[in-house]
Amino acid sequence: MGGPHLSALHVLRGLCVLLILLEDGPQSTRASACPQPCPPDSSCVGGTACRCNPGFQSSSGEINVNPGETCEDIDECEQGRPGTACGRRADCHNTMGGYYCTCSPGYRLVSGATKFSNVSENTCQDVDECISGQHSCHQSAQCHNTEGSYECRCRPGWKPVPGSPNGPNNTVCEEISFPIWTPPHGIKSQSLSRFFERIQDLLRDFKPASAQDTIQDIIQEVNNLLETPGDLLTLPRSEQHCVATILLTGQEQILRELSKALPNGPLNFRTAVGTELSLEVKEKGGKNVTLRINQGKMLVNWDVVQNSRGSGPSVVGLVSSPGMGKLLVGAPLVLETEEQSVLHETHKGLLQERSPVLFSDVMSAFVSNKDSQNLSSPITFVFNHVSAGPRQKVFCVFWEPTQNGSGHWSTKGCWMVGTGDTSTTCQCTHLSSFAILMAHYDVQEEDPALAVITYLGLSLSLLCLLLAALTFLLCKAIQNTSTSLHLQLSLCLFLAHLLFLTAIDRTENKVLCAIIAGTLHYLYLASFTWMLLEGLHLFLTTRNLTVVNYSNVSRFMKKFMLPVGYGVPAVIVAISAASSPHLYGTPARCWLHPEKGFIWGFLGPVCAILFVNLAFFLMTLWILKSKLSSLNSDVSTLKNTRMLTFKAIAQLFILGCTWCLGILQVGPAALAMAYLFTIINSLQGVFIFLVYCLLSQQVREQYRKWWEGVRKTKAESEQYTLSSGLLSDAPKHSVQIFLPHIPQRKSESLR
């Protein structure tokens, strides 16, 4: 019996040895085969070298491990390693010599397992925490599942508690308490008191489930008050404007708060007399939201509508109140400075001083986002209104409350995109409790007499400038530096006046209008620059009256007059065009736009030139006064004292100093100064031709020679024509009738 027992003992011992070899054998047996022991986490290869096990690598990165090297764990989850990604919605976890994957928080495997090995086993899907109860929303909030997580949002009729840690998963809410809507202080009105009593009753009995009914009741109460204002219309205008401000601002605040209790979707309501509400509540919006009512519509970007918190439903609404205009009669209109200058430029400042009149219903816009100033994208409004008359100006305005509780119409942040006979499109970069609407001014047409004087005067100046330019070019006897200055001034003024008369109103094509405006800018600047050179030359000439040698003045003027006369205006126009090319051309004229002070690209140089020329003129008169008695008799062109004095005074018109009359067109004398300014400056070309041509003895002598030459040429031409006709038409024998007094020899020779 000992034999079998001994045999079983040997078998058991062999199994134990085998288990020990299987556990430690690969390293021990192979290590015994290698020249020296292998480091941890490595194996002997071919009995000659050691190699790191899978999931490990040596510090040198080689397969063979040298003595002293160790095998380090490979981080398979490190970004960029191929073949180790766990896929979308999953997280990678590194282990010693390997890794495993788990679904990200908010996701789980379809199989219900907690781990998987690689991306091919990834079946992670979203967990609905709201259904499974795996959320931490307060009882006052509702759970809304999101991709990989959830949000806690206040229930309808509730709002986040101020000061609480309102995050997506820990929102604490409280019931909505509406702002107090009370009458303005100091205004006594039974109609207004009854209105606010009914409003407070509606708000006191408010239930979130009846939010829609409450909104409609409030709109109806506002409508009833505006349709039957009662003693409100007996209040002073300033108090009526205060009531309108309270109604507009309060209605906007109440509707914004009540709308938070509405379910998602649109809400439209219209009273019997035309008051309308168009409202929409959305969790998420598209690119734009459009609200339509009978009297217009509003287009707004969803980013503007959305709550500043960026979660939960958002509200956008539009209210049209046709009866609000009764309380806004006589309200003033405040224009921005730039718009005021544009208006005066367009209509020559002839505006009747009277209050604007409403052209459309008052439309109030409100959104959930209370940060509605300086919006990232403008809001577009389209207003339907009655047709405007030919002498009426339409504005896009809004109602802006003032510190005293009243208000006024303002154009700040609003502009008109386009207008037709019965509709106008506006854009605004802000929203609040103000009403967006249309207003107008009656504008007077331009004085027809001034227009006639302008066109007649410029036409006559064009003729005189053309004659003067031809005289300066063809009259050799007067060719000098002064003549060159007169010629360039005449050419610039001629081209500027011609372009003004023919193209100043060509505003149909904006590009062409901008080119015309730029050309006029250059030509008139060049004209004033040549006026400056004329003034400088006159001053230098007068200062050297006692000196016979004018060579220094002539050399100076010949060297610099062309570069200065044409170069300086070119630089100014180039800088203006490069900085603001879109400001060339206005809606009414092809001229410089007054916006952003762009008009000073012309007025600045002109004012400087007028000031300098006026100084030159006064110094010239002073020099003449002190030196006329001692004029050098050799200066032949300055012998006639009276003619010299007249020409000097005439320089006041030629040098453009009379343009200063434009500054005096204010107050009671504005109209008279406008006529004087137009007459004198439109005839500047006539003054140039009169002074430099007709009153010049040398030019008159040249004109006489030209006229005699023309008459002589004409007479010779007529005599030649008559003689030729007689010789060709008369018979041969008739020639002898005229030959009795011719000597015989000549008579024979003629035969």
Side-chain angles (χ1 to χ4, degrees), residues 465-500:
L465 288 171
L466 179 61
L467 294 176
L470 292 175
T471 300
F472 300 144
L473 280 173
L474 302 177
C475 188
K476 303 299 182 180
I478 61 172
Q479 295 298 322
N480 52 35
T481 303
S482 297
T483 305
S484 300
L485 290 171
H486 307 335
L487 174 62
Q488 303 303 325
L489 174 59
S490 300
L491 290 176
C492 289
L493 277 177
F494 177 84
L495 295 176
H497 290 342
L498 181 63
L499 187 61
F500 179 89

Side-chain angles (χ1 to χ4, degrees), residues 105 113 122 127 191 223 269 282 301-302 326 362 385 405 464 490 496 509 527 561 598 614 673:
N122 185 340
V127 176
S191 299
N223 177 81
F269 176 69
K282 283 187 177 182
N301 189 283
W302 180 255
K326 298 177 182 179
V362 179
H385 54 77
C464 292
S490 300
N509 188 314
S527 300
M561 66 179 184
F598 188 69
L614 186 59
M673 298 306 299

Side-chain angles (χ1 to χ4, degrees), residues 113-128:
T114 57
K115 301 179 181 179
F116 58 96
S117 301
N118 52 58
V119 68
S120 62
E121 300 176 5
N122 185 340
T123 60
C124 296
Q125 64 178 8
D126 178 52
V127 176
D128 192 337

Side-chain angles (χ1 to χ4, degrees), residues 130 135-145 150-158 167-173 260 262 264 283 312-313:
C130 300
H135 65 84
S136 59
C137 291
H138 191 267
Q139 61 182 2
S140 62
Q142 290 179 331
C143 177
H144 293 263
N145 184 61
Y150 65 95
E151 289 182 355
C152 300
R153 302 175 185 172
C154 293
R155 300 174 184 274
W158 296 65
N169 300 332
N170 58 355
T171 299
V172 180
C173 306
K260 296 178 181 179
L262 292 173
N264 292 346
E283 292 285 343

Side-chain angles (χ1 to χ4, degrees), residues 34-174:
C34 287
Q36 54 186 5
C38 291
D41 302 318
S42 66
S43 303
C44 183
V45 179
T48 59
C50 299
R51 182 174 61 186
C52 292
N53 294 334
F56 298 88
Q57 65 181 359
S58 65
S59 58
S60 64
E62 299 177 354
I63 294 178
N64 294 329
V65 179
N66 297 323
E69 284 190 320
T70 59
C71 291
E72 304 293 338
D73 175 57
I74 298 175
D75 187 356
E76 289 85 358
C77 296
E78 183 181 352
Q79 186 177 5
R81 289 188 177 276
T84 60
C86 295
R88 295 177 62 250
R89 307 170 179 173
D91 300 322
C92 180
H93 303 271
N94 184 59
T95 61
M96 189 62 66
Y99 72 98
Y100 68 93
C101 301
T102 61
C103 291
S104 300
Y107 300 90
R108 66 182 174 185
L109 292 170
V110 175
S111 63
T114 57
K115 301 179 181 179
F116 58 96
S117 301
N118 52 58
V119 68
S120 62
E121 300 176 5
N122 185 340
T123 60
C124 296
Q125 64 178 8
D126 178 52
V127 176
D128 192 337
E129 293 86 356
C130 300
I131 296 178
S132 63
Q134 302 175 10
H135 65 84
S136 59
C137 291
H138 191 267
Q139 61 182 2
S140 62
Q142 290 179 331
C143 177
H144 293 263
N145 184 61
T146 61
E147 184 71 20
S149 185
Y150 65 95
E151 289 182 355
C152 300
R153 302 175 185 172
C154 293
R155 300 174 184 274
W158 296 65
K159 65 179 181 179
V161 176
S164 63
N166 293 323
N169 300 332
N170 58 355
T171 299
V172 180
C173 306
E174 64 180 1

